[in-house]
Every structure is written in structure tokens, then in C-alpha cells.
């Protein structure tokens, strides 16, 4: 598959863009991760990370990137006793998680539409 993809990418000025679009399209069917408040869910199997095969998983990046990461950093810091407790109840945290999920889904949809547009142009030019 990788060899076939490399041949499809080509070596012209659009090869990098084709690579990004096609790689994205192949990974698109994967289930998107969702933010949630663990206190709002009773089923701990929902905390499982499928690809890593670990029963409990928390993901975050630098807190300068996304608001969801700021919340995770604050909650982890408070749970470790490194900072004061976060003054949000689980319903408020879940509401923030839902909002972050909504924005992430909207962003993903725009990216998908952009990819579809590029792919349509790519197919038209190649035909």
C-alpha cells in the first residue's frame, strides 16, 4: 500500500499536497477521540484507549494549544496536589468537554470538505 501511495504522490509541485490529502483520507475512517469528564461517566470501559490497549488514558498536549488541554492540566495538577482544587463541578467540566468536542467536530468537517474539494480538483486534472 505504501509503495502504491508513493507512486500516486508523484514528484511534481503538488506531490506534497497530494500526500497530505491522501494520507488524511485513508486515516479519516478512524474514530475520533472525544473529551469527557470521568466523573460524568459510570462505564470505565469508555476510558480505554483502543490503539494503545490501555484501560485508562488521558491525552493532552501543551496548554498553549487548546483550551481542553488547559483544563486537563489544571485538573491533573489539582489531583496531584500541586495546585489548588479546580472550582468546577463535573457537570460544568462535561459541558466544557461537550463544547470542545463540538468545535473539534466542526473543524474536522471543514477540513474534510477542503480535502474533498482538493481531491475533486486532483481527479479532474488527472482525468
Amino acid at each position: 500500500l505504501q509503495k502504491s501511495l508513493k507512486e500516486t504522490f508523484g514528484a511534481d509541485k503538488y506531490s506534497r499536497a497530494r500526500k497530505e490529502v491522501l494520507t488524511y483520507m485513508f486515516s479519516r475512517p478512524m474514530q475520533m477521540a472525544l473529551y469527557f469528564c470521568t466523573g460524568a461517566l459510570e462505564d470505565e470501559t469508555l476510558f480505554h484507549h483502543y490503539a494503545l490497549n490501555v484501560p485508562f488514558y488521558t491525552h493532552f498536549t501543551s496548554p498553549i494549544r487548546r483550551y481542553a488541554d488547559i483544563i486537563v492540566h489544571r485538573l491533573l495538577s489539582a489531583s496531584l496536589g500541586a495546585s489548588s482544587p479546580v472550582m468546577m463541578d463535573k457537570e460544568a467540566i462535561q459541558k466544557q468537554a461537550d463544547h470542545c468536542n463540538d468545535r473539534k467536530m466542526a473543524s474536522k468537517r471543514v477540513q474534510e470538505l477542503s480535502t474533498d474539494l482538493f481531491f475533486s480538483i486532483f481527479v479532474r486534472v488527472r482525468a
Side-chain angles (χ1 to χ4, degrees):
L1 180 61
Q2 186 65 28
K3 182 181 175 189
S4 176
L5 280 174
K6 278 188 171 187
E7 291 171 5
T8 304
F9 299 153
D12 61 4
K13 65 181 180 178
Y14 299 112
S15 60
R16 183 169 179 234
R18 275 194 298 275
K19 177 181 178 182
E20 288 179 27
V21 168
L22 293 173
T23 301
Y24 173 75
M25 289 180 80
F26 281 114
S27 64
R28 193 170 172 179
M30 295 177 162
Q31 184 180 4
M32 191 167 82
L34 296 174
Y35 298 110
F36 62 89
C37 175
T38 57
L41 298 177
E42 292 182 21
D43 184 2
E44 288 187 358
T45 62
L46 296 173
F47 305 169
H48 181 261
H49 190 288
Y50 176 78
L52 297 176
N53 195 27
V54 292
F56 298 100
Y57 179 80
T58 296
H59 172 81
F60 57 90
T61 61
S62 167
I64 64 171
R65 293 191 54 210
R66 295 184 296 229
Y67 183 65
D69 297 319
I70 292 171
I71 293 173
V72 171
H73 276 253
R74 288 177 183 167
L75 291 169
L76 283 173
S77 179
S79 71
L80 295 171
S83 64
S84 58
V86 175
M87 296 305 183
M88 292 174 74
D89 60 20
K90 64 184 176 186
E91 289 79 15
I93 294 170
Q94 185 59 50
K95 186 175 179 180
Q96 287 295 321
D98 291 340
H99 178 72
C100 290
N101 290 331
D102 289 343
R103 296 296 81 216
K104 189 164 75 164
M105 289 286 211
S107 173
K108 182 176 179 177
R109 184 67 184 134
V110 169
Q111 184 179 9
E112 288 172 352
L113 291 170
S114 173
T115 300
D116 290 347
L117 176 62
F118 180 87
F119 186 70
S120 299
I121 293 168
F122 169 70
V123 169
R124 179 183 284 166
V125 170
R126 300 286 272 194

Short mmCIF file of all heavy atoms in Angstrom, two decimals, residues 96-119:
data_model
loop_
_atom_site.label_atom_id
_atom_site.label_comp_id
_atom_site.label_asym_id
_atom_site.label_seq_id
_atom_site.Cartn_x
_atom_site.Cartn_y
_atom_site.Cartn_z
N GLN A 96 -17.99 21.83 29.28
CA GLN A 96 -16.81 22.32 28.56
C GLN A 96 -16.30 21.27 27.58
O GLN A 96 -15.93 21.58 26.45
CB GLN A 96 -15.70 22.71 29.54
CG GLN A 96 -15.96 23.97 30.30
CD GLN A 96 -16.00 25.18 29.39
OE1 GLN A 96 -15.23 25.31 28.45
NE2 GLN A 96 -16.94 26.07 29.67
N ALA A 97 -16.28 20.01 28.02
CA ALA A 97 -15.83 18.92 27.16
C ALA A 97 -16.74 18.81 25.93
O ALA A 97 -16.26 18.66 24.80
CB ALA A 97 -15.82 17.60 27.93
N ASP A 98 -18.06 18.90 26.15
CA ASP A 98 -19.00 18.84 25.03
C ASP A 98 -18.76 19.98 24.04
O ASP A 98 -18.79 19.78 22.82
CB ASP A 98 -20.45 18.89 25.54
CG ASP A 98 -20.86 17.63 26.29
OD1 ASP A 98 -20.21 16.57 26.10
OD2 ASP A 98 -21.84 17.71 27.06
N HIS A 99 -18.52 21.17 24.58
CA HIS A 99 -18.26 22.33 23.70
C HIS A 99 -16.97 22.11 22.90
O HIS A 99 -16.94 22.37 21.68
CB HIS A 99 -18.16 23.61 24.54
CG HIS A 99 -17.84 24.82 23.72
ND1 HIS A 99 -18.75 25.41 22.87
CD2 HIS A 99 -16.70 25.54 23.58
CE1 HIS A 99 -18.19 26.43 22.25
NE2 HIS A 99 -16.94 26.54 22.67
N CYS A 100 -15.93 21.63 23.56
CA CYS A 100 -14.67 21.36 22.86
C CYS A 100 -14.88 20.30 21.78
O CYS A 100 -14.33 20.42 20.67
CB CYS A 100 -13.58 20.91 23.84
SG CYS A 100 -12.99 22.22 24.93
N ASN A 101 -15.65 19.26 22.08
CA ASN A 101 -15.96 18.23 21.07
C ASN A 101 -16.72 18.81 19.89
O ASN A 101 -16.42 18.49 18.73
CB ASN A 101 -16.77 17.09 21.71
CG ASN A 101 -15.95 16.25 22.65
OD1 ASN A 101 -14.74 16.12 22.51
ND2 ASN A 101 -16.62 15.70 23.65
N ASP A 102 -17.69 19.67 20.17
CA ASP A 102 -18.46 20.30 19.09
C ASP A 102 -17.55 21.12 18.17
O ASP A 102 -17.65 21.05 16.94
CB ASP A 102 -19.55 21.21 19.65
CG ASP A 102 -20.69 20.44 20.30
OD1 ASP A 102 -20.81 19.23 20.06
OD2 ASP A 102 -21.45 21.07 21.07
N ARG A 103 -16.66 21.90 18.75
CA ARG A 103 -15.75 22.74 17.96
C ARG A 103 -14.78 21.87 17.18
O ARG A 103 -14.45 22.17 16.03
CB ARG A 103 -14.98 23.71 18.86
CG ARG A 103 -15.83 24.74 19.59
CD ARG A 103 -16.55 25.73 18.67
NE ARG A 103 -17.77 25.17 18.12
CZ ARG A 103 -18.25 25.37 16.90
NH1 ARG A 103 -17.64 26.16 16.07
NH2 ARG A 103 -19.36 24.82 16.49
N LYS A 104 -14.30 20.80 17.80
CA LYS A 104 -13.37 19.90 17.12
C LYS A 104 -14.05 19.22 15.93
O LYS A 104 -13.47 19.09 14.86
CB LYS A 104 -12.83 18.86 18.11
CG LYS A 104 -11.69 18.02 17.56
CD LYS A 104 -10.94 17.29 18.65
CE LYS A 104 -11.69 16.12 19.18
NZ LYS A 104 -10.87 15.18 19.95
N MET A 105 -15.32 18.82 16.12
CA MET A 105 -16.08 18.19 15.03
C MET A 105 -16.30 19.17 13.89
O MET A 105 -16.19 18.80 12.73
CB MET A 105 -17.43 17.70 15.55
CG MET A 105 -17.34 16.51 16.45
SD MET A 105 -16.96 15.04 15.52
CE MET A 105 -17.79 13.83 16.51
N ALA A 106 -16.63 20.42 14.23
CA ALA A 106 -16.84 21.44 13.19
C ALA A 106 -15.55 21.67 12.41
O ALA A 106 -15.56 21.76 11.18
CB ALA A 106 -17.34 22.74 13.82
N SER A 107 -14.44 21.75 13.13
CA SER A 107 -13.15 21.94 12.48
C SER A 107 -12.82 20.76 11.57
O SER A 107 -12.35 20.95 10.45
CB SER A 107 -12.07 22.11 13.55
OG SER A 107 -10.80 22.14 12.97
N LYS A 108 -13.07 19.57 12.07
CA LYS A 108 -12.80 18.37 11.26
C LYS A 108 -13.66 18.37 10.00
O LYS A 108 -13.19 18.01 8.92
CB LYS A 108 -13.07 17.11 12.09
CG LYS A 108 -12.74 15.86 11.32
CD LYS A 108 -12.92 14.62 12.16
CE LYS A 108 -12.59 13.47 11.27
NZ LYS A 108 -12.58 12.22 11.64
N ARG A 109 -14.91 18.77 10.13
CA ARG A 109 -15.80 18.80 8.97
C ARG A 109 -15.31 19.78 7.91
O ARG A 109 -15.33 19.48 6.72
CB ARG A 109 -17.23 19.15 9.42
CG ARG A 109 -18.23 19.10 8.31
CD ARG A 109 -18.43 17.67 7.81
NE ARG A 109 -19.32 17.68 6.67
CZ ARG A 109 -19.11 17.01 5.55
NH1 ARG A 109 -18.07 16.23 5.43
NH2 ARG A 109 -19.95 17.08 4.56
N VAL A 110 -14.86 20.94 8.33
CA VAL A 110 -14.32 21.92 7.39
C VAL A 110 -13.08 21.35 6.70
O VAL A 110 -12.90 21.49 5.49
CB VAL A 110 -14.01 23.26 8.10
CG1 VAL A 110 -13.20 24.17 7.21
CG2 VAL A 110 -15.30 23.94 8.53
N GLN A 111 -12.23 20.69 7.47
CA GLN A 111 -11.03 20.07 6.90
C GLN A 111 -11.42 19.00 5.87
O GLN A 111 -10.83 18.91 4.80
CB GLN A 111 -10.18 19.46 8.01
CG GLN A 111 -8.88 18.88 7.51
CD GLN A 111 -8.04 18.30 8.65
OE1 GLN A 111 -8.49 18.18 9.78
NE2 GLN A 111 -6.81 17.93 8.34
N GLU A 112 -12.42 18.19 6.21
CA GLU A 112 -12.87 17.16 5.28
C GLU A 112 -13.41 17.77 3.99
O GLU A 112 -13.12 17.27 2.90
CB GLU A 112 -13.95 16.29 5.93
CG GLU A 112 -13.42 15.37 7.00
CD GLU A 112 -14.54 14.67 7.77
OE1 GLU A 112 -15.73 15.02 7.57
OE2 GLU A 112 -14.20 13.79 8.57
N LEU A 113 -14.19 18.82 4.11
CA LEU A 113 -14.74 19.47 2.91
C LEU A 113 -13.62 20.05 2.05
O LEU A 113 -13.67 19.97 0.82
CB LEU A 113 -15.75 20.55 3.31
CG LEU A 113 -17.05 20.04 3.91
CD1 LEU A 113 -17.86 21.19 4.48
CD2 LEU A 113 -17.86 19.27 2.87
N SER A 114 -12.63 20.63 2.69
CA SER A 114 -11.48 21.17 1.97
C SER A 114 -10.73 20.05 1.25
O SER A 114 -10.33 20.20 0.08
CB SER A 114 -10.55 21.90 2.95
OG SER A 114 -9.37 22.29 2.32
N THR A 115 -10.55 18.94 1.94
CA THR A 115 -9.88 17.79 1.34
C THR A 115 -10.68 17.25 0.16
O THR A 115 -10.12 16.93 -0.89
CB THR A 115 -9.68 16.68 2.40
OG1 THR A 115 -8.88 17.21 3.46
CG2 THR A 115 -8.99 15.47 1.81
N ASP A 116 -11.98 17.16 0.34
CA ASP A 116 -12.84 16.68 -0.76
C ASP A 116 -12.73 17.60 -1.98
O ASP A 116 -12.66 17.13 -3.11
CB ASP A 116 -14.30 16.61 -0.31
CG ASP A 116 -14.55 15.50 0.69
OD1 ASP A 116 -13.66 14.63 0.86
OD2 ASP A 116 -15.63 15.51 1.32
N LEU A 117 -12.68 18.90 -1.74
CA LEU A 117 -12.54 19.85 -2.84
C LEU A 117 -11.22 19.64 -3.56
O LEU A 117 -11.17 19.56 -4.79
CB LEU A 117 -12.64 21.28 -2.32
CG LEU A 117 -12.43 22.39 -3.35
CD1 LEU A 117 -13.50 22.33 -4.44
CD2 LEU A 117 -12.44 23.75 -2.67
N PHE A 118 -10.12 19.55 -2.78
CA PHE A 118 -8.81 19.33 -3.40
C PHE A 118 -8.81 18.02 -4.17
O PHE A 118 -8.30 17.96 -5.29
CB PHE A 118 -7.71 19.32 -2.34
CG PHE A 118 -6.35 19.11 -2.92
CD1 PHE A 118 -5.60 20.18 -3.36
CD2 PHE A 118 -5.82 17.84 -3.05
CE1 PHE A 118 -4.34 20.00 -3.91
CE2 PHE A 118 -4.56 17.65 -3.60
CZ PHE A 118 -3.82 18.73 -4.03
N PHE A 119 -9.38 16.97 -3.58
CA PHE A 119 -9.39 15.67 -4.25
C PHE A 119 -10.18 15.74 -5.55
O PHE A 119 -9.78 15.17 -6.56
CB PHE A 119 -9.96 14.60 -3.32
CG PHE A 119 -9.87 13.21 -3.88
CD1 PHE A 119 -8.64 12.59 -4.00
CD2 PHE A 119 -11.00 12.54 -4.29
CE1 PHE A 119 -8.53 11.31 -4.51
CE2 PHE A 119 -10.91 11.26 -4.81
CZ PHE A 119 -9.67 10.64 -4.92
#
